[in-house]
Amino acid sequence: MISAVLFDMDGVLVDSEALIAEAALQMFARKYGLAVRHDDFLPFVGAGESRYIGGVAEKYGIAIDIDEAKAATYAIYGECAGTGQRGMKVLPGAVEYLRACRSSGLRIALASAADRVKVLINLEFLGIDESAFDAVVTGGDVVRKKPFPDIYIEAARRIGVRPEECLVVEDAVNGLKAGVAAGARCLGITTSFSEAVLRDAGALWCAPDLAHAPEPAALA
């Protein structure tokens, strides 16, 4: 029986994967004079910005100050959010699904590998305060990031349930691997990867967005 839902943020509640890639791409160009590609970031989606940016730096063989690089990326990200075609978008059904979970008596937690500053930008765009969740866990709260299970284990602990009682909602391979390793059942959202890829990573159910996802109460 599912008694709680643990949500990833990017690619599940907000459409921001292209935006953070664009911000990081601009950061590399401005700060390091390096032209990188959007595809360079794909292997690191869901693993937190330290790995997301650091992995691309490693690929191109350049040394960076990761804290400075992230700060510059977040500044660009914050500027771009909500502007033009590159702006962030609320994914269909996101807010409604959160409310439906709450109305059904399920506990809900946000478990994003992103740094807290990015999570707060996203929540502000969503129009949701972090108090809407029973717990908010971000990348800075755990040492090992996704695909390790630590963030989902910690999120379950904070809301007082066993991981086995949780539904993890993820869009990324790294996040699904983390959810499975934690012992949770997983719903894959196909905003970043195909259904075949997500199912191979451990998703038991898949949907294009939360507007078309099965209700947790209906999942056995």
Side-chain angles (χ1 to χ4, degrees):
M1 180 179 178
I2 292 170
S3 58
V5 184
L6 312 180
F7 293 90
D8 178 43
M9 167 67 85
D10 301 289
V12 171
L13 301 179
V14 294
D15 180 6
S16 57
E17 298 294 2
L19 183 59
I20 190 63
E22 178 64 26
L25 186 148
Q26 289 188 34
M27 180 278 296
F28 275 113
R30 296 181 193 179
K31 196 169 179 64
Y32 299 100
L34 181 66
V36 303
R37 302 176 304 168
H38 285 82
D39 288 352
D40 292 331
F41 299 98
L42 276 177
F44 313 110
V45 170
E49 271 64 52
S50 291
R51 186 65 187 143
Y52 188 81
I53 294 168
V56 173
E58 289 174 10
K59 176 179 179 178
Y60 285 90
I62 66 167
I64 65 172
D65 182 309
I66 191 63
D67 290 332
E68 289 183 2
K70 287 197 297 181
T73 300
Y74 292 143
I76 298 168
Y77 181 83
E79 291 168 4
C80 292
T83 61
Q85 293 301 309
R86 293 178 180 172
M88 198 186 309
K89 298 179 180 67
V90 177
L91 284 167
V95 175
E96 293 81 3
Y97 201 85
L98 289 171
R99 289 173 179 162
C101 288
R102 181 68 82 193
S103 297
S104 299
L106 297 169
R107 299 185 71 75
I108 59 174
L110 184 64
S112 172
D115 289 330
R116 182 174 173 79
V117 59
K118 183 185 176 201
V119 169
L120 292 179
I121 290 171
N122 290 354
L123 286 176
E124 182 178 3
F125 185 82
L126 269 170
I128 295 176
D129 188 80
E130 61 181 305
S131 62
F133 297 91
D134 294 301
V136 173
V137 186
T138 64
D141 295 318
V142 294
V143 175
R144 298 190 307 174
K145 308 299 190 291
K146 304 171 186 178
F148 291 101
D150 303 37
I151 196 164
Y152 285 121
I153 292 172
E154 176 63 13
R157 184 194 68 80
R158 290 192 186 186
I159 61 176
V161 300
R162 295 181 298 115
E164 293 82 2
E165 300 174 60
C166 296
L167 174 69
V168 161
V169 186
E170 269 283 357
D171 72 306
V173 170
N174 285 321
L176 286 168
K177 288 180 177 178
V180 171
R185 282 165 284 180
C186 298
L187 166 63
I189 303 298
T190 59
T191 48
S192 301
F193 297 91
S194 70
E195 178 173 345
V197 169
L198 296 184
R199 286 192 179 276
D200 189 56
L204 296 178
W205 307 276
C206 287
D209 50 51
L210 287 171
H212 296 89
E215 295 183 5
L219 304 179

